[in-house]
Amino acid sequence: MTCKLLVLISGNGSNLQALIDACASGQLNADIVGVISNVPDAFGLERAKRVGIPTAVVDHKTYASRADFDAALLQRMQQFDADLVVLAGFMRILSAELVAAYAGRMLNIHPSLLPLYPGLHTHQRALDAGDAEHGCTIHFVTADLDGGPLIAQSRCPVLADDTAQTLASRVHPLEHALYQQVIAWYAAGRLRYANGQAVLDQHPLEQPVQL
Ligand code: GAR
């Protein structure tokens, strides 16, 4: 059975585009059944619309409280009846209730080698720390911000003349390839979440897989 993906975005949607392309080419045995953005003019919505993927906007600015926004978002998410929720540049913190509704069925990609640099400005923070390496991480989403069980990472060198922009542009293609691989594992039934850990091919992952 084809794995039904619901992708949540807030912006450009280059990760979404990579997934659209991978599904269309048959490289990834999955279907994107919907895209939700909390930002009404996120470019990722256009990417979805031009290939006929249903989209929805749940604009956080129109809700009085975080709880109201999360309740509306959860209701909209459930209408898509997805197998897996993919956070792809979705820049809102989700409540424990919403996360619990998708326990073990929600992935996030983060532009750092977690547990380094949860939160924002990850590329600049890697530069400021003088790190020799940087990269991206995919993890199962829990109520801890960027803190759920790690699944896989890709890394790249930090160069002497790097800026946050050049570093971001080196990490982005890594993100696209990494998401495709991890979702393929999930879609094939090889990856799951059990007892607070990521499990790949029956082995609990003590360390993220390095790809
Ligand atoms: C990506 O770099 C993703 O890792 C990051 O937002 C960017 C979205 O790019 N996500 C986070 O920082 C989440 N904490 P995209 O819209 O082009 O896919």
Side-chain angles (χ1 to χ4, degrees):
M1 212 175 65
T2 309
C3 185
K4 292 183 284 178
L5 310 178
L6 172 61
V7 183
L8 268 56
I9 61 165
S10 299
N12 178 35
S14 73
N15 276 284
L16 167 66
Q17 186 67 55
L19 293 176
I20 290 172
D21 294 345
C23 291
S25 70
Q27 275 185 295
L28 180 58
N29 183 21
D31 264 343
I32 302 174
V33 295
V35 171
I36 301 179
S37 174
N38 66 307
V39 176
D41 62 353
F43 182 62
L45 291 168
E46 300 309 316
R47 298 180 187 271
K49 282 178 193 162
R50 67 190 178 201
V51 291
I53 296 171
T55 62
V57 172
V58 184
D59 181 354
H60 61 279
K61 290 188 177 146
T62 64
Y63 294 89
S65 68
R66 186 180 290 278
D68 287 353
F69 167 70
D70 269 35
L73 178 61
L74 178 59
Q75 191 180 41
R76 197 69 192 85
M77 289 170 74
Q78 287 171 332
Q79 288 167 356
F80 284 103
D81 192 27
D83 300 310
L84 181 67
V85 174
V86 175
L87 305 186
F90 184 70
M91 304 304 280
R92 299 295 296 173
I93 295 172
L94 297 171
S95 69
E97 291 74 20
L98 189 147
V99 169
Y102 287 95
R105 297 195 299 135
M106 191 187 293
L107 302 177
N108 182 43
I109 192 156
H110 187 72
S112 77
L113 297 171
L114 289 172
L116 292 175
Y117 318 130
L120 300 174
H121 310 302
T122 57
H123 307 301
Q124 189 60 51
R125 288 157 74 194
L127 288 173
D128 292 348
D131 292 348
E133 277 192 320
H134 186 49
C136 53
T137 305
I138 293 173
H139 62 93
F140 279 110
V141 175
T142 65
D144 298 333
L145 175 66
D146 300 325
L150 306 185
I151 300 166
Q153 292 182 325
S154 285
R155 45 187 78 220
C156 60
V158 177
L159 306 180
D161 56 354
D162 263 331
T163 63
Q165 285 72 27
T166 60
L167 203 44
S169 66
R170 198 167 316 117
V171 171
H172 253 119
L174 301 179
E175 294 190 27
H176 303 161
L178 192 65
Y179 234 158
Q180 185 178 330
Q181 175 63 75
V182 169
I183 293 170
W185 288 339
Y186 190 93
R190 295 176 55 190
L191 173 67
R192 63 196 172 86
Y193 174 80
N195 305 318
Q197 272 187 303
V199 178
L200 182 63
D201 295 332
Q202 321 296 336
H203 300 294
L205 295 175
E206 304 301 337
Q207 301 289 334
V209 179
Q210 301 297 319
L211 291 174

